[in-house]
Amino acid sequence: MEQKGGLVVERRVELREVQTLEGHQDRVWGVAWNPTTGAGRLPPMLASCSGDRTVRIWVQEDPRNPSSWECRGHENEVKSVSWSPSGSLLATCGRDKSVWIWEVQPGNEFECVSVLQGHTQDVKMVRWHPSYDVLVSVSYDNSIKVWAEDGEIDDWHCIQTLGDGSSGHSSTVWATSFNSNGDRMVTCSDDLTLKIWDTSVDPKDARSDSSIRWRHLSTLSGYHDRTIFSVDWSRDGIIASGAGDDSICLFCESTEPSLDDPSYELLLKKEKAHNMDINSVQWHPKMSHLLASGCDDGTIKIWELTTEP
């Protein structure tokens, strides 16, 4: 038994499928848990987006029954979807190189409050920082952009770009995720690597101090042999990645003492988790043993991380 990022885990762990959610008519590009649901009287809520031009909102009708998921949806063409920490904003992006920010209205309606331009190619994913009021987007143009709202003009703008010149990726960046504290970020790419970034400072302060920047910490390579399409960091410190090799990998911070920046090691690799490319993996924000994955075949799988005696 070892301590792994706040979670006590055995070396023998298992990822058990709970349910497959079907309804999309094309490949599933992204899944996102609403962070304000899944506790108390609010049932877990999951948003998914697909090449079929729909966003679907899935709700677990009976929390006592992990297989009681039903779909509630509205239509919009998107490549990625992400809830803000408060659950009141939804960010989306697509092939038009733009990022859209939507505000949740009564009756599950959505109003667009900003359209962000800056990427030169398709935007693959958007993700909110868990503590700061900033949004991160990653793109086919190999870059990672950090966006924040400017209160003076009541609009959003780019405040930092992480690219090849800042130890960034050398090919398409497909996904990004933060740890629970928000002081670390992980990204994955077509270059078959995952990169860990120091995000412990508020990037909005860079407007008055140019030395305040997010920076690269380490690179993980050699675990997937095809494009890594998705990555997500659980609140217990477990990094999940999904790739074109149909597998899911789980990583945790190494317990070996180091004077340098933290290092990470493989905890588990689930071969043939799906029959086709895995486009999205997402841990539940409160029930951190639950993982959702989306695939090219249009299916979504719910996994449970368990320890074997």
Side-chain angles (χ1 to χ4, degrees):
M1 181 180 297
E2 297 184 31
Q3 186 78 18
K4 298 292 185 181
L7 175 68
V8 177
V9 295
E10 302 286 347
R11 273 297 175 182
R12 293 172 60 83
V13 295
E14 179 187 2
L15 196 60
R16 181 175 64 89
E17 181 182 343
V18 176
Q19 188 183 1
T20 297
L21 306 180
E22 298 181 337
H24 285 297
Q25 303 302 310
D26 201 340
R27 66 188 65 186
V28 178
W29 284 116
V31 291
W33 297 98
N34 186 311
T36 63
T37 62
R41 297 182 179 179
L42 296 175
M45 180 181 294
L46 181 74
S48 62
C49 59
S50 168
D52 64 6
R53 297 174 177 259
T54 68
V55 173
R56 290 179 177 264
I57 309 297
W58 306 83
V59 179
Q60 187 181 31
E61 294 295 333
D62 184 359
R64 297 168 299 179
N65 180 1
S67 298
S68 62
W69 294 82
E70 294 185 3
C71 177
R72 301 172 180 174
H74 70 88
E75 294 189 359
N76 200 340
E77 183 178 7
V78 293
K79 190 69 177 289
S80 172
V81 59
S82 177
W83 298 95
S84 67
S86 67
S88 62
L89 294 175
L90 192 68
T92 63
C93 64
R95 297 180 183 276
D96 60 0
K97 311 175 187 177
S98 67
V99 175
W100 294 56
I101 298 178
W102 306 82
E103 186 174 38
V104 181
Q105 304 293 318
N108 281 335
E109 297 294 330
F110 295 81
E111 178 184 355
C112 180
V113 295
S114 187
V115 178
L116 313 180
Q117 307 284 351
H119 284 291
T120 60
Q121 298 292 338
D122 299 0
V123 184
K124 300 300 185 183
M125 187 181 188
V126 284
R127 181 64 64 95
W128 294 92
H129 190 281
S131 303
Y132 305 130
D133 293 327
V134 298
L135 178 70
V136 174
S137 61
V138 299
S139 172
Y140 186 77
D141 63 14
N142 307 350
S143 75
I144 304 159
K145 288 188 178 293
V146 185
W147 308 85
E149 187 176 19
D150 189 331
E152 295 182 358
I153 61 175
D154 193 27
D155 203 359
W156 294 71
H157 68 289
C158 180
I159 56 177
Q160 186 177 358
T161 299
L162 301 170
D164 193 32
S166 52
S167 300
H169 291 285
S170 60
S171 189
T172 301
V173 188
W174 279 93
T176 182
S177 181
F178 293 94
N179 66 356
S180 59
N181 296 328
D183 60 357
R184 295 286 184 272
M185 179 177 72
V186 60
T187 54
C188 64
S189 170
D190 188 53
D191 63 13
L192 309 186
T193 70
L194 295 98
K195 290 182 179 287
I196 310 295
W197 304 82
D198 182 344
T199 57
S200 58
V201 298
D202 188 342
K204 295 193 299 296
D205 294 338
R207 285 175 290 191
S208 57
D209 186 350
S210 60
S211 66
I212 299 177
R213 287 285 189 268
W214 290 356
R215 66 183 183 91
H216 173 262
L217 289 178
S218 61
T219 298
L220 303 176
S221 62
Y223 298 102
H224 290 286
D225 55 21
R226 293 188 63 188
T227 299
I228 307 172
F229 290 117
S230 184
V231 65
D232 194 47
W233 210 324
S234 81
R235 67 174 185 173
D236 289 326
I238 307 297
I239 299 172
S241 61
D245 58 10
D246 308 341
S247 69
I248 294 174
C249 285
L250 302 183
F251 302 89
C252 56
E253 187 171 344
S254 174
T255 57
E256 296 295 326
S258 174
L259 297 177
D260 300 321
D261 292 322
S263 60
Y264 296 82
E265 60 186 10
L266 182 69
L267 178 65
L268 174 152
K269 183 171 185 178
K270 184 76 172 181
E271 302 278 4
K272 297 300 178 183
H274 283 269
N275 294 324
M276 301 176 70
D277 292 359
I278 299 172
N279 297 311
S280 181
V281 289
Q282 181 91 52
W283 293 102
H284 191 281
K286 291 185 174 61
M287 296 180 287
S288 55
H289 62 289
L290 288 182
L291 178 74
S293 60
C295 176
D296 261 5
D297 63 9
T299 64
I300 300 164
K301 290 188 177 184
I302 309 295
W303 305 87
E304 182 179 24
L305 181 62
T306 62
T307 58
E308 299 178 0

